[in-house]
Amino acid sequence: MTHVEDELNCQPACWRRAAAQAAAHAPVLPVPGERVAVVGCGTSYFMAQAVAALREGAGRGETDAFAASEFPHRRAYDHVVALTRSGTTTEVLDLLGRLKGRIRTTAVTADPATPVMSLADETVVLDYADERSVVQTRFATTALTLLRAHLGLHTEAVEEDGRRALGAPLPEGLVDCAQFTFLGRGWTVGLANEAGLKMREAALAWTEAYPAMEYRHGPISITARGRATWMFGTAPEGLAGQVRDTGGLWIEGTLDPLAELVRAQRLAVAVAAARGLDPDRPRHLTRSVVLAP
């Protein structure tokens, strides 16, 4: 078993632990009414998108998501939350350094022995969700679960769906598809983006991701027989039929969207295996992007 397979398989247990700890971490996480920015790079940026949509949708306050390198320094925020598995990513550390003393910051990380511990005002360490794999799975979903639970939006049903996602076979014919499009709405747009990234990283697959209502505005033109469209959450009315009319394979998300992401992670590993690739050795990638000064 590869590292990424081993790590993705233990996600429901990690989620349970993070949800149980959410109340203890509440003092360092955003409170209702604060204007918040959630930042990260790569996978963590897509989790930031999900968190921001969940928080604002729950009425807890205006919340934005940015790639750490694109943070708008002229905007006023009460709190910035940085997601960083390694605690060493250059863009995140640079941003926290610039914000220190101006805006309260909290970093959610997997490694307490990294520079982020001194640059962030507060930290949440999810060391039990750390990973050997370059390709992120359990840290990202565990960090999202922590923040989802902080908003009161996590239930045991999510963990049950996660176990179902690990045990059920993937849809027939999906692994053999030549192209994959992932769709989301609201907070699941970030999950769709992350599913596409997993497929590119692990399997070098042609993948795209969009807000579901945007799919008809051009991207559906690439849909055809031998290509798949996967919906995270409830699909817009009529979209499934339109995809099927193209000959494309429509995958309906029937589980909690976070569990659907686990299924997409499994798909990435399966496609990698079918193509003779090792998902633990993704092309051109390292576990953390550390840039020379």
Side-chain angles (χ1 to χ4, degrees):
M1 184 176 291
T2 62
H3 295 317
V4 68
E5 286 177 281
D6 182 55
E7 289 157 359
L8 74 83
N9 281 331
C10 69
Q11 287 175 107
C14 289
W15 301 349
R16 178 178 292 273
R17 188 167 176 179
Q21 294 175 340
H25 291 303
V28 303
L29 296 174
V31 299
E34 284 188 315
R35 190 168 190 241
V36 174
V38 190
V39 301
C41 297
T43 288
S44 292
Y45 170 44
F46 296 141
M47 295 299 101
Q49 291 177 336
V51 171
L54 281 170
R55 184 176 186 271
E56 188 151 330
R60 300 299 181 90
E62 186 175 337
T63 315
D64 297 316
F66 301 102
S69 60
E70 299 300 316
F71 183 81
H73 287 274
R74 292 186 178 182
R75 291 192 188 180
Y77 288 100
D78 301 308
H79 203 150
V80 171
V81 177
L83 307 181
T84 171
R85 175 181 66 171
S86 70
T88 60
T89 303
T90 296
E91 298 99 303
V92 173
L93 298 182
D94 286 349
L95 174 60
L96 292 173
R98 289 187 65 179
L99 296 180
K100 200 165 185 67
R102 296 197 300 115
I103 298 174
R104 187 186 183 198
T105 60
T106 296
V108 181
T109 186
D111 191 344
T114 57
V116 75
M117 300 298 291
S118 59
L119 286 172
D121 296 324
E122 312 283 356
T123 56
V124 175
V125 178
L126 306 176
D127 51 357
Y128 54 88
D130 202 358
E131 298 161 323
R132 295 180 64 183
S133 176
V134 172
V135 176
Q136 277 201 58
T137 55
R138 71 182 179 192
F139 173 75
T141 62
T142 301
L144 175 54
T145 296
L146 172 77
L147 293 163
R148 198 178 177 190
H150 175 63
L151 296 170
L153 300 176
H154 177 82
T155 69
E156 290 184 3
V158 180
E159 299 160 24
E160 293 171 4
D161 274 0
R163 288 187 285 271
R164 292 190 185 98
L166 291 168
L170 293 170
E172 185 176 354
L174 184 58
V175 172
D176 298 323
C177 287
Q179 188 274 338
F180 305 86
T181 298
F182 298 96
L183 304 177
R185 302 184 82 176
W187 74 282
T188 70
V189 172
L191 301 188
N193 287 331
E194 171 60 8
L197 180 62
K198 287 288 89 68
M199 294 291 293
R200 291 189 289 275
E201 289 176 332
L204 304 182
W206 173 18
T207 61
E208 302 185 18
Y210 302 96
M213 290 297 290
E214 286 295 304
Y215 192 49
R216 288 179 270 222
H217 293 270
I220 196 172
S221 62
I222 66 168
T223 309
R225 189 172 303 278
R227 299 176 181 179
T229 302
W230 190 327
M231 182 70 211
F232 283 72
T234 304
E237 185 176 354
L239 186 57
Q242 287 180 278
V243 169
R244 293 188 181 107
D245 287 344
T246 71
L249 177 63
W250 172 261
I251 305 298
E252 188 79 42
T254 58
L255 303 174
D256 181 89
L258 194 59
E260 288 293 323
L261 180 57
V262 173
R263 289 214 300 161
Q265 293 167 347
R266 289 182 56 214
L267 174 63
V269 172
V271 173
R275 298 180 179 184
L277 301 171
D278 182 353
D280 280 342
R281 293 176 173 81
R283 190 169 68 181
H284 310 317
L285 298 179
T286 57
R287 189 174 179 277
S288 173
V289 176
V290 179
L291 304 176

